[in-house]
Amino acid sequence: MEGCPDNKVLFITYAFPPIGGSGVQRSLKYVKYLPVAGWKPYVLTVKMINYYVYDTSAFAEIPPEAEIFRTGSLDPLRLSYFLLPGFRFRKRNVGPEINPFISEGSKFVHFYRSIVRDFLAFPDIHLGWIPYAYLRGIQLIKKHKIDIIFASANRLSSTVVAYLLSRSSGLPYVLDFPDGWTDDPYLVCPTRAHKTMHTALEKSIVGNATAVTVYGEYLANQFRNRYPWIADHVYVLPNGFDLEDLKAIQPVERDDTKKRIVYMGSLYEHHEGNFDTFLRALKILPEALRERLEIYFVGQYYGKAQLQVASAHLENTVTFLGYVPHMEALSYLAAADAGLLFIRAGDISSVTGKVFEYLMTGVPILACIEHNGMCADVLAKAGRDQYIVPPDDPIKIAQTIESISKLNWPRHLGSGWSQFSRRHNTERLAMILDMHRR
């Protein structure tokens, strides 16, 4: 099967490089490894949009076999790229570019999330992309004799495109959920009508899919119970890590007198409770230990985070680096003495994507998550659940930091981490496409 040029998948994803951020990684890695597994991806995505970060370094991971097709859109992020005086992406640059106009905590982001995204847009803010993607998809299916349609549900509008294209062409379609839909604890339904519409649309689109791949067993079981007629075609493909990324890790400058804890990834507003609890835990620590610590947040962060640090008088302990290219972020994590994970209290269904790359590096993982949640289950399967602490208990967090310190910050790969290889899971995806192709 390897190297076979005849298997063709229309790969629908709104979020794709040069858009940056962790939400791009799952689709990017599928596209990277599908040709090795015998499938040529025809990627259908959007043209340039106004986004909080761009990262052209990800282009290096797109294989030459993949063909990328970009369309226009009437969604706010595409329109604002032309109409609003925000930051413009400059294609000549290499690496990350931050857009301060729509950065985490900006007025635009607050308006966009609270009014436009949550109240006015259905199924999401990207519905203006649907007609453009549909028309281009029809052309691609006919021109390239596509065998199957695949859509990433990291933007729900992509699933609508897949459904409509399947109805028009008769091709089977596979949906991939890196998060839930109506089960997503972060889905905001401001009215009962919004919830009813999401429930009905999920039933129509998921219920008619040829196959569905999901990030974990929790969502798989929800879909199997809700749509029993597709229960045998719901597959778990967890997020993961790419061992190839280890080759790109570079040495990071360190103060040898300090122990460094690194949080890799975006620190969102919904992490505010986690962050506040963690700062209180730092204050509880013995002063001698706290003075030997440096806490690095590598990624975008919400506006109030720095004020919280200043209010806690921890400016000499906590450092925000902002967004850096993915490989550079991994370098900071690999050089750390421990990794820090946040999932808000009460959330048992989320599995933050960064956890798999934490597993790959072998750093001790201070996981401020629920013990009975899916993320805890991932850590347990990998043999890395030694330092799970309640996300709302500063005393337990402080005690765990002390315990890791007394053990001299031990590294441990565990025994089950290899099951989360991106390449391995893409090979499994290729097998699913093989089974369900036209």
Side-chain angles (χ1 to χ4, degrees):
M1 175 80 174
E2 184 168 328
C4 172
D6 298 326
N7 302 301
K8 301 174 181 180
V9 56
L10 180 62
F11 194 106
I12 305 169
T13 177
Y14 183 93
F16 200 70
I19 289 173
S22 58
V24 174
Q25 290 297 311
R26 186 173 172 103
S27 290
L28 175 63
K29 299 299 185 179
Y30 281 154
V31 169
K32 176 179 178 179
Y33 287 118
L34 273 172
V36 179
W39 282 86
K40 178 180 176 66
Y42 293 81
V43 180
L44 179 59
T45 188
V46 72
K47 291 181 178 179
M48 280 307 307
I49 61 172
N50 214 351
Y51 202 62
Y52 76 91
V53 65
Y54 310 100
D55 190 353
T56 56
S57 65
F59 283 140
E61 298 195 64
I62 300 174
E65 297 90 344
E67 295 191 38
I68 315 299
F69 301 90
R70 302 183 186 273
T71 77
S73 177
L74 291 176
D75 73 271
L77 296 186
R78 174 68 180 159
L79 292 176
S80 66
Y81 182 74
F82 295 102
L83 301 178
L84 295 178
F87 175 94
R88 278 294 191 93
F89 169 68
R90 297 178 290 278
K91 293 184 180 179
R92 65 183 181 273
N93 286 2
V94 176
E97 295 189 31
I98 306 300
N99 185 341
F101 183 65
I102 57 173
S103 61
E104 191 71 26
S106 71
K107 291 180 180 179
F108 178 85
V109 168
H110 176 74
F111 172 78
Y112 158 75
R113 286 179 175 166
S114 61
I115 304 298
V116 181
R117 183 192 69 178
D118 295 339
F119 197 84
L120 298 179
F122 179 81
D124 59 21
I125 200 68
H126 312 292
L127 77 163
W129 183 55
I130 293 173
Y132 289 84
Y134 171 77
L135 292 174
R136 191 60 182 277
I138 288 291
Q139 295 173 354
L140 295 174
I141 288 169
K142 291 179 179 178
K143 180 178 180 180
H144 298 285
K145 296 180 172 55
I146 298 296
D147 297 303
I148 195 167
I149 299 165
F150 175 92
S152 169
N154 63 7
R155 305 294 188 272
L156 295 175
S157 288
S158 297
T159 69
V160 178
V161 175
Y163 172 79
L164 294 176
L165 288 174
S166 175
R167 292 292 297 269
S168 297
S169 66
L171 286 176
Y173 69 98
V174 177
L175 302 177
D176 180 63
F177 284 86
D179 301 293
W181 189 332
T182 57
D183 302 285
D184 185 351
Y186 303 100
L187 176 69
V188 178
C189 293
T191 68
R192 185 176 297 177
H194 285 83
K195 180 67 174 178
T196 300
M197 290 190 297
H198 273 291
T199 300
L201 188 62
E202 180 193 271
K203 181 178 181 179
S204 180
I205 292 180
V206 176
N208 283 287
T210 307
V212 178
T213 57
V214 300
Y215 68 91
E217 285 293 344
Y218 174 85
L219 186 59
N221 290 332
Q222 294 292 97
F223 281 163
R224 288 165 185 155
N225 293 332
R226 197 174 297 148
Y227 312 115
W229 56 92
I230 64 165
D232 292 339
H233 298 156
V234 177
Y235 307 92
V236 175
L237 292 180
N239 285 308
F241 55 82
D242 187 354
L243 285 172
E244 290 289 314
D245 291 344
L246 285 175
K247 300 175 183 177
I249 289 177
Q250 300 294 322
V252 172
E253 234 179 84
R254 285 287 309 270
D255 179 351
D256 292 337
T257 66
K258 300 275 190 177
K259 292 297 181 182
R260 180 178 291 178
I261 299 174
V262 168
Y263 177 98
M264 186 185 76
S266 295
L267 188 68
Y268 294 111
E269 286 182 342
H270 63 249
H271 291 131
E272 183 175 347
N274 294 90
F275 188 57
D276 180 69
T277 302
F278 181 71
L279 294 180
R280 286 189 283 140
L282 293 178
K283 298 288 285 186
I284 293 171
L285 288 173
E287 185 176 355
L289 174 56
R290 186 171 60 249
E291 289 180 349
R292 295 200 310 272
L293 293 180
E294 52 183 13
I295 318 297
Y296 273 40
F297 285 82
V298 184
Q300 286 285 97
Y301 53 93
Y302 64 92
K304 283 179 59 180
Q306 287 183 313
L307 293 176
Q308 288 176 264
V309 170
S311 296
H313 306 291
L314 290 169
E315 300 98 319
N316 294 329
T317 304
V318 178
T319 300
F320 295 98
L321 293 185
Y323 185 86
V324 301
H326 183 65
M327 298 302 180
E328 186 177 341
L330 279 177
S331 296
Y332 275 100
L333 179 63
D337 297 291
L340 176 64
L341 283 179
F342 287 160
I343 295 179
R344 71 182 182 184
D347 181 355
I348 63 170
S349 64
S350 295
V351 180
T352 175
K354 65 178 72 73
V355 67
F356 301 97
E357 291 174 321
Y358 282 45
L359 292 174
M360 177 178 71
T361 62
V363 296
I365 302 172
L366 177 60
C368 304
I369 61 178
E370 298 290 358
H371 278 86
N372 61 336
M374 281 194 58
C375 194
D377 185 57
V378 167
L379 292 174
K381 286 179 178 177
R384 300 291 304 283
D385 56 344
Q386 301 93 334
Y387 307 118
I388 295 176
V389 291
D392 54 358
D393 190 334
I395 295 175
K396 286 281 182 63
I397 294 172
Q399 290 172 342
T400 303
I401 294 173
E402 287 190 76
S403 296
I404 298 173
S405 175
K406 288 176 181 176
L407 292 170
N408 199 27
W409 308 85
R411 286 184 174 252
H412 177 56
L413 281 176
S415 57
W417 59 280
S418 60
Q419 64 187 293
F420 302 116
S421 159
R422 293 278 195 190
R423 179 165 181 165
H424 170 70
N425 281 325
T426 304
E427 289 168 352
R428 291 183 58 213
L429 172 61
M431 293 174 62
I432 293 166
L433 297 178
D434 288 338
M435 287 189 291
H436 297 288
R437 60 177 294 171
R438 179 171 58 180

